[in-house]
């Protein structure tokens, strides 16, 4: 019992650290994030933080893993919908027409972490996993649509890579160039791609 | 004459500084770039560098402007080709199947600069200009193709945004995730997009 309780308390601490890091990252961005700014969001003792992690990158890499572990497709789409609706909803979830300040801060923070992957293999590993997870979800939706004859018998892998790259590019452009219309126009282009490339003419 | 010569010498100095910065950026990346590392690539006196610029960001923003000023579509495509060939060549130019070490270093350096635009408006302005330049080039190619009836009468603006976002996303994924096949598959998807969406069935 003692070890069970200890392990559950350990989990609570880890979760509290991850949530504090998430808030601190959204607030300060990658460059200004320090163990101290994370600690300011963390309600437990600072020594606990130092006990678990050596530096901010170790915490942030764990945060990426934590966010990926939490991801489920049900969070983004309604599994009772047809696969074409699910695919559109998933695109909308990844690339919404409009975003509020909190979503903007989170997306910018994630892109700042992604840019760390340009020079840091540990970050690159996490984003490889993130891309594989998102791509796998899109492949599943397309394959389900093909099976139900809602989609043409396209190469699901290729279509999924295309959709994911397009979403990634639009997300980067949304936050690094002053042209919000680029995102909306890309979204319209993606809708059109689903309509003209995936859905047979007679549907 | 004296002022003419002075102005031309001034231009030579500016160009030499830009070329030194370009080499230093490819070698060291954004994070490790300093006025000193730029100066190590610069053959003239260090005081000249400090005379012209206050800090590395001022130099790098000028470098982005310099690279954009140098861009011409003729550099990337053969204007004698049909618009569909030109479009494919332009996609290949932006997103080659394979890249050598120098191209990799340059692309990583440019993505590092792009990530500065997440928090710095001066960088964001330069990448807004870069996107507009590339998008305008793609719009021109698509409109020319529509005029010559090689392409369908699609919405050129929307198709260009789609292509540019897809290329941007694939470029980011190439350098931040360990999955080189994502780029090749996205390229194949883009070829297919041009084939199925832009080119009429009877061509």
């Amino acid at each position: 019992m003692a070890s069970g309780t200890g392990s559950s308390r350990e989990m609570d601490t880890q979760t509290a650290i991850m949530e504090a890091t998430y808030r601190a990252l959204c607030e300060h961005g990658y460059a200004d994030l320090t163990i101290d700014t994370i600690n300011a969001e963390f309600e437990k003792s600072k020594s606990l933080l130092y006990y678990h992690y050596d530096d901010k990158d170790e915490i942030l890499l764990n945060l990426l893993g934590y966010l990926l572990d939490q991801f489920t497709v049900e969070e983004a789409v309604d599994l009772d919908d047809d696969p074409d609706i699910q695919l559109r909803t998933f695109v909308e979830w990844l690339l919404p027409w409009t975003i509020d300040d909190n979503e903007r801060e989170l997306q910018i923070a994630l892109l700042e972490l992604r840019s760390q992957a340009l020079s840091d293999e540990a970050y690159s590993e996490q984003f490889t996993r993130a891309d594989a997870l998102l791509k796998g979800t899109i492949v599943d939706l397309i394959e389900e649509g093909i099976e139900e004859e809602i989609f043409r018998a396209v190469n699901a892998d290729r279509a999924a890579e295309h959709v994911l790259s397009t979403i990634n590019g639009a997300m980067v452009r949304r936050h690094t160039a002053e042209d919000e219309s680029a995102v909306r126009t890309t979204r319209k282009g993606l809708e059109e791609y689903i309509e003209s490339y995936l859905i047979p003419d007679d549907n």
Side-chain angles (χ1 to χ4, degrees), chain A:
Chain A
M1 276 297 282
S3 108
T5 313
S7 159
S8 147
R9 190 180 299 159
E10 185 85 349
M11 289 279 286
D12 288 349
T13 303
Q14 292 282 359
T15 304
I17 293 176
M18 292 299 100
E19 284 172 3
T21 307
Y22 183 90
R23 287 192 298 273
L25 180 65
C26 290
E27 194 175 334
H28 302 283
Y30 176 82
D32 295 329
L33 195 77
T34 61
I35 295 254
D36 280 338
T37 56
I38 295 171
N39 190 61
E41 299 286 335
F42 183 53
E43 285 163 8
K44 305 186 183 185
S45 94
K46 189 168 173 174
S47 62
L48 258 177
L49 236 165
Y50 283 110
Y51 172 76
H52 286 283
Y53 299 102
D54 289 334
D55 57 30
K56 79 165 179 180
D57 283 306
E58 199 187 341
I59 305 186
L60 285 170
L61 288 165
N62 269 277
L63 176 66
L64 286 172
Y66 174 79
L67 293 174
L68 291 172
D69 289 342
Q70 283 196 319
F71 171 82
T72 60
V73 65
E74 294 90 327
E75 184 187 328
V77 306
D78 183 341
L79 295 179
D80 290 333
D81 284 337
D82 278 345
D84 62 327
I85 306 291
Q86 286 188 51
L87 181 58
R88 288 170 215 256
T89 311
F90 195 60
V91 170
E92 161 77 28
W93 185 74
L94 285 170
L95 196 66
W97 287 109
T98 54
I99 48 177
D100 64 25
D101 284 350
N102 287 336
E103 288 165 334
R104 180 173 298 274
E105 279 164 10
L106 173 63
Q107 286 191 9
I108 288 176
L110 287 174
L111 288 174
E112 282 178 320
L113 294 186
R114 185 145 200 151
S115 78
Q116 300 310 308
L118 291 167
S119 54
D120 185 329
E121 215 169 290
Y123 280 98
S124 174
E125 274 171 27
Q126 293 298 329
F127 283 100
T128 306
R129 200 185 142 207
D131 282 1
L133 195 63
L134 296 178
K135 185 192 141 185
T137 304
I138 300 172
V139 166
D140 289 348
L141 292 177
I142 294 175
E143 283 181 344
E144 207 183 312
I146 294 172
E147 204 167 309
E148 295 183 18
E149 296 182 357
I150 288 168
F151 292 151
R152 287 179 218 265
V154 299
N155 180 320
D157 190 74
R158 193 178 300 164
E161 292 283 10
H162 182 94
V163 169
L164 185 57
S165 287
T166 310
I167 290 170
N168 265 313
M171 210 183 286
V172 168
R173 292 177 68 207
R174 167 174 253 159
H175 298 293
T176 59
E178 289 143 13
D179 181 11
E180 186 71 15
S181 75
V183 174
R184 291 161 182 260
T185 314
T186 300
R187 263 292 300 282
K188 279 191 204 144
L190 263 176
E191 299 273 344
E192 216 163 46
Y193 176 81
I194 293 172
E195 204 66 56
S196 76
Y197 183 66
L198 293 180
I199 298 187
D201 291 333
D202 53 356
N203 265 31

